[in-house]
Short mmCIF file of all heavy atoms in Angstrom, two decimals:
data_model
loop_
_atom_site.label_atom_id
_atom_site.label_comp_id
_atom_site.label_asym_id
_atom_site.label_seq_id
_atom_site.Cartn_x
_atom_site.Cartn_y
_atom_site.Cartn_z
N MET A 3 117.66 99.11 110.47
CA MET A 3 116.51 98.84 109.61
C MET A 3 115.71 100.13 109.40
O MET A 3 115.32 100.80 110.35
CB MET A 3 115.64 97.78 110.28
CG MET A 3 114.65 97.15 109.31
SD MET A 3 113.79 95.77 110.14
CE MET A 3 112.11 96.11 109.64
N ALA A 4 115.50 100.49 108.16
CA ALA A 4 114.78 101.73 107.86
C ALA A 4 113.30 101.57 108.20
O ALA A 4 112.73 100.50 108.00
CB ALA A 4 114.94 102.08 106.39
N PRO A 5 112.71 102.64 108.70
CA PRO A 5 111.27 102.55 108.99
C PRO A 5 110.46 102.40 107.71
O PRO A 5 110.77 103.01 106.69
CB PRO A 5 110.96 103.89 109.68
CG PRO A 5 112.10 104.79 109.33
CD PRO A 5 113.29 103.92 109.03
N ILE A 6 109.44 101.58 107.77
CA ILE A 6 108.59 101.36 106.59
C ILE A 6 107.53 102.47 106.55
O ILE A 6 106.89 102.74 107.55
CB ILE A 6 107.89 99.98 106.70
CG1 ILE A 6 108.95 98.88 106.81
CG2 ILE A 6 106.98 99.74 105.49
CD1 ILE A 6 108.38 97.54 107.22
N PRO A 7 107.39 103.13 105.40
CA PRO A 7 106.35 104.17 105.28
C PRO A 7 104.98 103.60 105.62
O PRO A 7 104.69 102.45 105.25
CB PRO A 7 106.43 104.60 103.81
CG PRO A 7 107.77 104.15 103.33
CD PRO A 7 108.13 102.94 104.15
N ALA A 8 104.18 104.40 106.28
CA ALA A 8 102.86 103.93 106.71
C ALA A 8 102.03 103.41 105.55
O ALA A 8 101.34 102.41 105.67
CB ALA A 8 102.12 105.05 107.42
N SER A 9 102.11 104.09 104.40
CA SER A 9 101.29 103.68 103.27
C SER A 9 101.66 102.28 102.80
O SER A 9 100.80 101.48 102.47
CB SER A 9 101.44 104.68 102.12
OG SER A 9 102.79 104.79 101.74
N THR A 10 102.96 102.00 102.78
CA THR A 10 103.41 100.68 102.36
C THR A 10 102.96 99.62 103.36
O THR A 10 102.52 98.55 102.98
CB THR A 10 104.95 100.65 102.26
OG1 THR A 10 105.36 101.68 101.38
CG2 THR A 10 105.44 99.30 101.75
N ARG A 11 103.05 99.98 104.63
CA ARG A 11 102.68 99.02 105.66
C ARG A 11 101.19 98.70 105.57
O ARG A 11 100.78 97.55 105.65
CB ARG A 11 103.02 99.57 107.04
CG ARG A 11 103.14 98.47 108.08
CD ARG A 11 103.64 99.02 109.40
NE ARG A 11 102.74 100.02 109.91
CZ ARG A 11 103.12 101.19 110.42
NH1 ARG A 11 104.39 101.51 110.46
NH2 ARG A 11 102.26 102.05 110.88
N VAL A 12 100.38 99.73 105.37
CA VAL A 12 98.93 99.54 105.28
C VAL A 12 98.62 98.63 104.09
O VAL A 12 97.81 97.73 104.19
CB VAL A 12 98.20 100.89 105.13
CG1 VAL A 12 96.76 100.67 104.68
CG2 VAL A 12 98.24 101.64 106.45
N ARG A 13 99.32 98.89 102.98
CA ARG A 13 99.07 98.07 101.78
C ARG A 13 99.42 96.61 102.06
O ARG A 13 98.70 95.70 101.70
CB ARG A 13 99.92 98.60 100.62
CG ARG A 13 99.37 98.21 99.27
CD ARG A 13 100.10 98.96 98.16
NE ARG A 13 100.00 100.40 98.33
CZ ARG A 13 100.92 101.28 97.93
NH1 ARG A 13 102.00 100.87 97.35
NH2 ARG A 13 100.76 102.56 98.11
N TYR A 14 100.55 96.43 102.72
CA TYR A 14 100.98 95.07 103.02
C TYR A 14 99.96 94.37 103.91
O TYR A 14 99.59 93.24 103.67
CB TYR A 14 102.35 95.08 103.70
CG TYR A 14 102.76 93.72 104.18
CD1 TYR A 14 103.25 92.77 103.28
CD2 TYR A 14 102.58 93.35 105.51
CE1 TYR A 14 103.58 91.50 103.71
CE2 TYR A 14 102.91 92.08 105.94
CZ TYR A 14 103.42 91.16 105.04
OH TYR A 14 103.73 89.90 105.46
N GLU A 15 99.53 95.12 104.94
CA GLU A 15 98.59 94.52 105.89
C GLU A 15 97.27 94.17 105.21
O GLU A 15 96.63 93.19 105.53
CB GLU A 15 98.34 95.47 107.06
CG GLU A 15 99.49 95.40 108.05
CD GLU A 15 99.43 96.51 109.07
OE1 GLU A 15 98.46 97.28 109.05
OE2 GLU A 15 100.37 96.60 109.88
N ARG A 16 96.89 95.00 104.25
CA ARG A 16 95.65 94.75 103.55
C ARG A 16 95.76 93.48 102.71
O ARG A 16 94.87 92.65 102.70
CB ARG A 16 95.31 95.96 102.66
CG ARG A 16 93.86 96.01 102.28
CD ARG A 16 93.48 97.35 101.73
NE ARG A 16 93.51 98.41 102.73
CZ ARG A 16 93.47 99.71 102.45
NH1 ARG A 16 93.40 100.11 101.22
NH2 ARG A 16 93.49 100.60 103.40
N VAL A 17 96.88 93.33 102.02
CA VAL A 17 97.10 92.13 101.22
C VAL A 17 97.12 90.91 102.13
O VAL A 17 96.52 89.88 101.83
CB VAL A 17 98.42 92.24 100.43
CG1 VAL A 17 98.78 90.89 99.80
CG2 VAL A 17 98.30 93.31 99.35
N HIS A 18 97.79 91.06 103.26
CA HIS A 18 97.89 89.97 104.20
C HIS A 18 96.50 89.56 104.69
O HIS A 18 96.18 88.39 104.79
CB HIS A 18 98.75 90.40 105.39
CG HIS A 18 99.05 89.28 106.34
ND1 HIS A 18 99.94 88.28 106.03
CD2 HIS A 18 98.56 88.98 107.56
CE1 HIS A 18 99.98 87.43 107.04
NE2 HIS A 18 99.16 87.83 107.98
N GLN A 19 95.68 90.59 104.95
CA GLN A 19 94.32 90.36 105.41
C GLN A 19 93.53 89.55 104.39
O GLN A 19 92.79 88.65 104.72
CB GLN A 19 93.64 91.72 105.57
CG GLN A 19 93.13 91.98 106.97
CD GLN A 19 92.59 93.39 107.10
OE1 GLN A 19 92.39 94.08 106.12
NE2 GLN A 19 92.37 93.81 108.32
N MET A 20 93.70 89.93 103.13
CA MET A 20 92.97 89.25 102.07
C MET A 20 93.33 87.78 102.02
O MET A 20 92.49 86.94 101.80
CB MET A 20 93.35 89.86 100.72
CG MET A 20 92.67 91.17 100.43
SD MET A 20 93.13 91.65 98.78
CE MET A 20 93.77 93.26 99.07
N ARG A 21 94.62 87.51 102.21
CA ARG A 21 95.05 86.11 102.15
C ARG A 21 94.64 85.36 103.40
O ARG A 21 94.72 84.15 103.44
CB ARG A 21 96.57 86.06 101.99
CG ARG A 21 97.00 86.51 100.62
CD ARG A 21 98.51 86.53 100.51
NE ARG A 21 98.92 86.99 99.18
CZ ARG A 21 100.16 87.35 98.89
NH1 ARG A 21 101.08 87.33 99.81
NH2 ARG A 21 100.47 87.76 97.69
N GLY A 22 94.23 86.10 104.40
CA GLY A 22 93.90 85.49 105.67
C GLY A 22 92.55 84.81 105.71
O GLY A 22 92.12 84.37 106.75
N GLY A 23 91.84 84.75 104.61
CA GLY A 23 90.58 84.02 104.62
C GLY A 23 89.48 84.68 103.82
O GLY A 23 88.83 84.03 103.04
N LEU A 24 89.30 86.00 104.00
CA LEU A 24 88.23 86.66 103.28
C LEU A 24 88.49 86.62 101.78
O LEU A 24 89.58 86.94 101.33
CB LEU A 24 88.13 88.12 103.73
CG LEU A 24 87.21 88.40 104.91
CD1 LEU A 24 87.38 89.85 105.35
CD2 LEU A 24 85.76 88.14 104.55
N ALA A 25 87.49 86.25 101.02
CA ALA A 25 87.65 86.22 99.58
C ALA A 25 87.65 87.64 99.04
O ALA A 25 86.92 88.49 99.53
CB ALA A 25 86.52 85.42 98.94
N ALA A 26 88.49 87.90 98.07
CA ALA A 26 88.54 89.22 97.45
C ALA A 26 88.36 89.07 95.95
O ALA A 26 88.92 88.16 95.34
CB ALA A 26 89.86 89.89 97.76
N VAL A 27 87.56 89.94 95.38
CA VAL A 27 87.37 89.90 93.93
C VAL A 27 87.61 91.29 93.36
O VAL A 27 87.42 92.30 94.04
CB VAL A 27 85.94 89.42 93.56
CG1 VAL A 27 85.75 87.96 93.90
CG2 VAL A 27 84.89 90.28 94.22
N ALA A 28 88.04 91.34 92.12
CA ALA A 28 88.29 92.62 91.47
C ALA A 28 86.97 93.21 90.96
O ALA A 28 86.02 92.48 90.69
CB ALA A 28 89.26 92.43 90.31
N ILE A 29 86.97 94.52 90.88
CA ILE A 29 85.82 95.20 90.29
C ILE A 29 85.98 95.17 88.77
O ILE A 29 87.02 95.55 88.25
CB ILE A 29 85.73 96.65 90.80
CG1 ILE A 29 85.42 96.65 92.29
CG2 ILE A 29 84.67 97.44 90.02
CD1 ILE A 29 85.62 97.99 92.96
N VAL A 30 84.97 94.64 88.09
CA VAL A 30 85.03 94.52 86.64
C VAL A 30 83.93 95.38 86.02
O VAL A 30 82.75 95.14 86.25
CB VAL A 30 84.84 93.04 86.20
CG1 VAL A 30 84.93 92.92 84.69
CG2 VAL A 30 85.89 92.15 86.87
N LYS A 31 84.35 96.38 85.27
CA LYS A 31 83.41 97.29 84.60
C LYS A 31 82.33 97.82 85.55
O LYS A 31 81.14 97.81 85.24
CB LYS A 31 82.77 96.59 83.40
CG LYS A 31 83.79 96.34 82.29
CD LYS A 31 83.19 95.54 81.15
CE LYS A 31 84.26 95.28 80.07
NZ LYS A 31 83.90 94.18 79.20
N GLY A 32 82.78 98.24 86.71
CA GLY A 32 81.86 98.86 87.66
C GLY A 32 80.98 97.88 88.41
O GLY A 32 80.04 98.27 89.10
N ALA A 33 81.28 96.59 88.28
CA ALA A 33 80.49 95.59 88.97
C ALA A 33 81.40 94.64 89.74
O ALA A 33 82.59 94.53 89.45
CB ALA A 33 79.65 94.81 87.97
N CYS A 34 80.83 93.95 90.69
CA CYS A 34 81.58 92.95 91.45
C CYS A 34 82.02 91.82 90.53
O CYS A 34 81.21 91.29 89.76
CB CYS A 34 80.69 92.41 92.57
SG CYS A 34 81.36 90.97 93.39
N GLY A 35 83.29 91.46 90.58
CA GLY A 35 83.80 90.39 89.73
C GLY A 35 83.37 89.01 90.21
O GLY A 35 83.61 88.01 89.55
N GLY A 36 82.73 88.95 91.36
CA GLY A 36 82.31 87.67 91.91
C GLY A 36 80.88 87.35 91.56
O GLY A 36 80.57 86.28 91.04
N CYS A 37 79.98 88.31 91.81
CA CYS A 37 78.56 88.04 91.57
C CYS A 37 77.98 88.95 90.50
O CYS A 37 76.80 88.87 90.19
CB CYS A 37 77.77 88.18 92.87
SG CYS A 37 77.72 89.87 93.51
N TYR A 38 78.82 89.86 89.97
CA TYR A 38 78.44 90.77 88.88
C TYR A 38 77.35 91.76 89.26
O TYR A 38 76.65 92.29 88.41
CB TYR A 38 78.05 89.98 87.62
CG TYR A 38 79.19 89.10 87.17
CD1 TYR A 38 79.14 87.72 87.38
CD2 TYR A 38 80.33 89.65 86.61
CE1 TYR A 38 80.21 86.91 87.03
CE2 TYR A 38 81.40 88.86 86.25
CZ TYR A 38 81.33 87.49 86.46
OH TYR A 38 82.38 86.70 86.10
N ARG A 39 77.22 91.98 90.55
CA ARG A 39 76.27 92.99 90.99
C ARG A 39 76.87 94.37 90.71
O ARG A 39 78.02 94.65 91.06
CB ARG A 39 76.02 92.83 92.50
CG ARG A 39 75.07 93.84 93.11
CD ARG A 39 75.18 93.77 94.63
NE ARG A 39 74.40 94.81 95.27
CZ ARG A 39 73.23 94.60 95.87
NH1 ARG A 39 72.71 93.41 95.90
NH2 ARG A 39 72.59 95.60 96.44
N GLY A 40 76.14 95.24 90.07
CA GLY A 40 76.61 96.58 89.77
C GLY A 40 76.80 97.37 91.06
O GLY A 40 75.97 97.28 91.96
N GLN A 41 77.91 98.11 91.15
CA GLN A 41 78.21 98.86 92.36
C GLN A 41 77.86 100.33 92.17
O GLN A 41 78.10 100.90 91.11
CB GLN A 41 79.69 98.71 92.71
CG GLN A 41 80.14 97.27 92.92
CD GLN A 41 79.42 96.57 94.06
OE1 GLN A 41 79.21 97.17 95.12
NE2 GLN A 41 79.01 95.34 93.86
N PRO A 42 77.29 100.96 93.20
CA PRO A 42 76.94 102.38 93.11
C PRO A 42 78.19 103.23 92.88
O PRO A 42 79.28 102.85 93.33
CB PRO A 42 76.32 102.70 94.48
CG PRO A 42 76.05 101.39 95.13
CD PRO A 42 76.96 100.39 94.50
N PRO A 43 78.02 104.37 92.19
CA PRO A 43 79.17 105.24 91.86
C PRO A 43 80.01 105.61 93.09
O PRO A 43 81.23 105.65 93.01
CB PRO A 43 78.51 106.49 91.27
CG PRO A 43 77.20 106.01 90.74
CD PRO A 43 76.77 104.89 91.65
N GLN A 44 79.36 105.86 94.22
CA GLN A 44 80.14 106.26 95.39
C GLN A 44 81.00 105.12 95.92
O GLN A 44 82.08 105.33 96.45
CB GLN A 44 79.26 106.85 96.51
CG GLN A 44 78.32 105.88 97.19
CD GLN A 44 76.95 105.89 96.55
OE1 GLN A 44 76.82 106.16 95.35
NE2 GLN A 44 75.92 105.60 97.31
N VAL A 45 80.53 103.91 95.74
CA VAL A 45 81.31 102.74 96.15
C VAL A 45 82.53 102.59 95.25
O VAL A 45 83.64 102.33 95.70
CB VAL A 45 80.44 101.45 96.12
CG1 VAL A 45 81.30 100.20 96.22
CG2 VAL A 45 79.40 101.49 97.23
N LEU A 46 82.31 102.80 93.96
CA LEU A 46 83.43 102.70 93.01
C LEU A 46 84.48 103.76 93.31
O LEU A 46 85.68 103.52 93.23
CB LEU A 46 82.91 102.87 91.57
CG LEU A 46 81.95 101.78 91.09
CD1 LEU A 46 81.37 102.14 89.74
CD2 LEU A 46 82.64 100.43 91.04
N GLN A 47 84.00 104.94 93.68
CA GLN A 47 84.91 106.03 94.01
C GLN A 47 85.76 105.68 95.24
O GLN A 47 86.96 105.88 95.26
CB GLN A 47 84.08 107.28 94.30
CG GLN A 47 84.68 108.55 93.76
CD GLN A 47 83.68 109.69 93.82
OE1 GLN A 47 83.06 109.94 94.85
NE2 GLN A 47 83.50 110.39 92.71
N GLU A 48 85.10 105.12 96.24
CA GLU A 48 85.82 104.72 97.46
C GLU A 48 86.84 103.63 97.15
O GLU A 48 87.96 103.65 97.64
CB GLU A 48 84.82 104.18 98.51
CG GLU A 48 83.85 105.20 99.03
CD GLU A 48 84.46 106.06 100.12
OE1 GLU A 48 85.61 105.81 100.54
OE2 GLU A 48 83.78 107.01 100.54
N ALA A 49 86.43 102.70 96.31
CA ALA A 49 87.33 101.60 95.96
C ALA A 49 88.55 102.11 95.21
O ALA A 49 89.67 101.66 95.44
CB ALA A 49 86.58 100.58 95.10
N ARG A 50 88.33 103.09 94.37
CA ARG A 50 89.42 103.63 93.57
C ARG A 50 90.44 104.33 94.46
O ARG A 50 91.64 104.30 94.21
CB ARG A 50 88.86 104.61 92.54
CG ARG A 50 89.87 104.99 91.47
CD ARG A 50 89.32 106.01 90.49
NE ARG A 50 88.42 105.41 89.52
CZ ARG A 50 87.16 105.81 89.32
NH1 ARG A 50 86.66 106.79 90.02
NH2 ARG A 50 86.42 105.23 88.43
N LYS A 51 89.95 104.96 95.50
CA LYS A 51 90.85 105.66 96.44
C LYS A 51 91.68 104.70 97.26
O LYS A 51 92.72 105.05 97.79
CB LYS A 51 90.03 106.57 97.37
CG LYS A 51 89.59 107.86 96.69
CD LYS A 51 89.02 108.83 97.70
CE LYS A 51 87.56 108.51 97.98
NZ LYS A 51 86.94 109.43 98.93
N ARG A 52 91.19 103.48 97.41
CA ARG A 52 91.89 102.43 98.16
C ARG A 52 92.18 102.79 99.62
O ARG A 52 93.15 102.32 100.20
CB ARG A 52 93.25 102.10 97.52
CG ARG A 52 93.16 101.61 96.10
CD ARG A 52 94.56 101.49 95.54
NE ARG A 52 94.58 101.45 94.09
CZ ARG A 52 94.37 100.34 93.40
NH1 ARG A 52 94.15 99.22 94.01
NH2 ARG A 52 94.39 100.38 92.09
N ASP A 53 91.39 103.66 100.20
CA ASP A 53 91.69 103.99 101.59
C ASP A 53 90.74 103.30 102.56
O ASP A 53 90.80 103.51 103.75
CB ASP A 53 91.78 105.50 101.83
CG ASP A 53 90.53 106.24 101.36
OD1 ASP A 53 89.51 105.57 101.14
OD2 ASP A 53 90.60 107.45 101.21
N ARG A 54 89.87 102.50 102.03
CA ARG A 54 89.05 101.68 102.92
C ARG A 54 88.63 100.40 102.21
O ARG A 54 88.70 100.30 100.99
CB ARG A 54 87.83 102.45 103.43
CG ARG A 54 86.98 103.07 102.33
CD ARG A 54 85.69 103.59 102.91
NE ARG A 54 84.86 102.48 103.36
CZ ARG A 54 83.53 102.46 103.16
NH1 ARG A 54 82.92 103.47 102.61
NH2 ARG A 54 82.81 101.44 103.56
N VAL A 55 88.24 99.45 103.03
CA VAL A 55 87.85 98.16 102.47
C VAL A 55 86.39 98.22 102.04
O VAL A 55 85.53 98.70 102.77
CB VAL A 55 88.05 97.05 103.53
CG1 VAL A 55 87.48 95.73 103.05
CG2 VAL A 55 89.53 96.90 103.86
N ILE A 56 86.13 97.79 100.82
CA ILE A 56 84.77 97.79 100.29
C ILE A 56 84.26 96.35 100.27
O ILE A 56 84.94 95.45 99.80
CB ILE A 56 84.75 98.37 98.85
CG1 ILE A 56 85.51 99.69 98.77
CG2 ILE A 56 83.33 98.50 98.34
CD1 ILE A 56 84.87 100.84 99.48
N ILE A 57 83.05 96.18 100.77
CA ILE A 57 82.45 94.85 100.76
C ILE A 57 81.27 94.86 99.80
O ILE A 57 80.44 95.75 99.84
CB ILE A 57 81.94 94.47 102.18
CG1 ILE A 57 83.05 94.60 103.23
CG2 ILE A 57 81.34 93.06 102.17
CD1 ILE A 57 84.14 93.56 103.16
N CYS A 58 81.20 93.85 98.94
CA CYS A 58 80.08 93.74 98.01
C CYS A 58 78.83 93.39 98.79
O CYS A 58 78.81 92.46 99.59
CB CYS A 58 80.37 92.66 96.97
SG CYS A 58 78.96 92.33 95.90
N GLU A 59 77.77 94.15 98.55
CA GLU A 59 76.52 93.89 99.25
C GLU A 59 75.83 92.65 98.71
O GLU A 59 74.94 92.08 99.33
CB GLU A 59 75.58 95.10 99.13
CG GLU A 59 76.01 96.26 100.01
CD GLU A 59 75.04 97.43 99.90
OE1 GLU A 59 73.94 97.26 99.37
OE2 GLU A 59 75.42 98.51 100.37
N GLY A 60 76.23 92.25 97.51
CA GLY A 60 75.59 91.10 96.89
C GLY A 60 76.12 89.77 97.42
O GLY A 60 75.35 88.87 97.72
N CYS A 61 77.46 89.67 97.52
CA CYS A 61 78.04 88.38 97.90
C CYS A 61 78.93 88.46 99.15
O CYS A 61 79.40 87.44 99.63
CB CYS A 61 78.84 87.80 96.73
SG CYS A 61 80.24 88.82 96.23
N GLY A 62 79.15 89.67 99.66
CA GLY A 62 79.91 89.82 100.89
C GLY A 62 81.42 89.71 100.73
O GLY A 62 82.15 89.70 101.71
N ARG A 63 81.90 89.63 99.49
CA ARG A 63 83.34 89.54 99.28
C ARG A 63 83.97 90.94 99.26
O ARG A 63 83.28 91.93 99.02
CB ARG A 63 83.63 88.82 97.96
CG ARG A 63 83.60 87.31 98.13
CD ARG A 63 83.84 86.61 96.82
NE ARG A 63 82.59 86.50 96.08
CZ ARG A 63 82.36 85.58 95.14
NH1 ARG A 63 83.29 84.72 94.82
NH2 ARG A 63 81.21 85.53 94.52
N LEU A 64 85.28 90.96 99.47
CA LEU A 64 86.00 92.23 99.40
C LEU A 64 86.13 92.66 97.95
O LEU A 64 86.44 91.84 97.09
CB LEU A 64 87.41 92.07 99.99
CG LEU A 64 87.54 91.82 101.48
CD1 LEU A 64 89.01 91.63 101.85
CD2 LEU A 64 86.96 92.97 102.27
N LEU A 65 85.89 93.92 97.71
CA LEU A 65 86.03 94.44 96.35
C LEU A 65 87.36 95.16 96.21
O LEU A 65 87.67 96.05 96.98
CB LEU A 65 84.87 95.40 96.03
CG LEU A 65 83.50 94.74 95.93
CD1 LEU A 65 82.43 95.80 95.74
CD2 LEU A 65 83.46 93.73 94.80
N ILE A 66 88.12 94.76 95.22
CA ILE A 66 89.44 95.34 94.98
C ILE A 66 89.44 96.07 93.65
O ILE A 66 89.02 95.51 92.64
CB ILE A 66 90.52 94.22 94.92
CG1 ILE A 66 90.41 93.30 96.13
CG2 ILE A 66 91.92 94.82 94.80
CD1 ILE A 66 90.60 93.99 97.45
N TRP A 67 89.90 97.32 93.69
CA TRP A 67 90.03 98.05 92.43
C TRP A 67 91.23 97.46 91.69
O TRP A 67 92.32 97.41 92.23
CB TRP A 67 90.23 99.54 92.70
CG TRP A 67 90.10 100.35 91.47
CD1 TRP A 67 91.12 100.86 90.72
CD2 TRP A 67 88.88 100.75 90.82
NE1 TRP A 67 90.59 101.54 89.65
CE2 TRP A 67 89.24 101.50 89.69
CE3 TRP A 67 87.52 100.53 91.10
CZ2 TRP A 67 88.27 102.03 88.82
CZ3 TRP A 67 86.58 101.07 90.25
CH2 TRP A 67 86.95 101.81 89.12
N PRO A 68 91.06 97.01 90.45
CA PRO A 68 92.18 96.37 89.73
C PRO A 68 93.35 97.34 89.59
O PRO A 68 93.16 98.48 89.19
CB PRO A 68 91.58 96.03 88.36
CG PRO A 68 90.10 96.08 88.55
CD PRO A 68 89.85 97.07 89.64
N PRO A 69 94.56 96.88 89.91
CA PRO A 69 95.76 97.73 89.87
C PRO A 69 96.06 98.30 88.49
O PRO A 69 96.62 99.37 88.39
CB PRO A 69 96.90 96.79 90.29
CG PRO A 69 96.24 95.61 90.89
CD PRO A 69 94.86 95.51 90.29
N GLU A 70 95.65 97.61 87.46
CA GLU A 70 96.01 98.06 86.10
C GLU A 70 95.06 99.13 85.58
O GLU A 70 95.24 99.70 84.54
CB GLU A 70 96.06 96.88 85.12
CG GLU A 70 94.74 96.19 84.87
CD GLU A 70 94.50 95.08 85.89
OE1 GLU A 70 95.13 95.10 86.96
OE2 GLU A 70 93.70 94.20 85.61
N THR A 71 93.98 99.39 86.33
CA THR A 71 93.00 100.39 85.90
C THR A 71 93.38 101.77 86.42
O THR A 71 93.63 101.91 87.61
CB THR A 71 91.60 100.02 86.42
OG1 THR A 71 91.33 98.67 86.08
CG2 THR A 71 90.53 100.92 85.83
N PRO A 72 93.45 102.78 85.57
CA PRO A 72 93.81 104.12 86.04
C PRO A 72 92.76 104.69 86.99
O PRO A 72 91.60 104.39 86.83
CB PRO A 72 93.86 104.96 84.77
CG PRO A 72 93.62 104.07 83.63
CD PRO A 72 93.20 102.72 84.12
ZN1 ZN B 106 79.58 90.44 94.75
#
């Protein structure tokens, strides 16, 4: 069995985590897709990098940068 690259594993674990109970919403036009609270630029930047989990301060849900957005 070939070793799974760390990046793939992290992505998988993150998806698994999301399905594990915490609600996740996509970021829509710079705002939370759940409560529509506008997110600060640095939060959007972090979300775009996808290297950490972002939590909306408005509703407490996980913020996911939409995959189709460059
Ligand atoms: Zn929210």
Side-chain angles (χ1 to χ4, degrees):
M3 196 174 135
I6 301 167
S9 57
T10 304
R11 201 173 60 225
V12 166
R13 202 170 302 150
Y14 173 78
E15 281 168 4
R16 200 165 292 166
V17 170
H18 187 74
Q19 238 174 13
M20 282 184 234
R21 289 176 181 166
L24 270 172
V27 291
I29 294 167
V30 181
K31 291 175 181 161
C34 169
C37 67
Y38 302 105
R39 179 193 174 104
Q41 302 299 318
Q44 68 266 29
V45 167
L46 296 173
Q47 219 168 50
E48 295 279 354
R50 192 182 283 124
K51 282 191 277 181
R52 300 173 199 277
D53 54 16
R54 53 170 292 221
V55 172
I56 311 291
I57 306 288
C58 174
E59 286 182 13
C61 62
R63 277 178 276 203
L64 292 177
L65 292 175
I66 310 300
W67 191 259
E70 66 272 20
T71 309

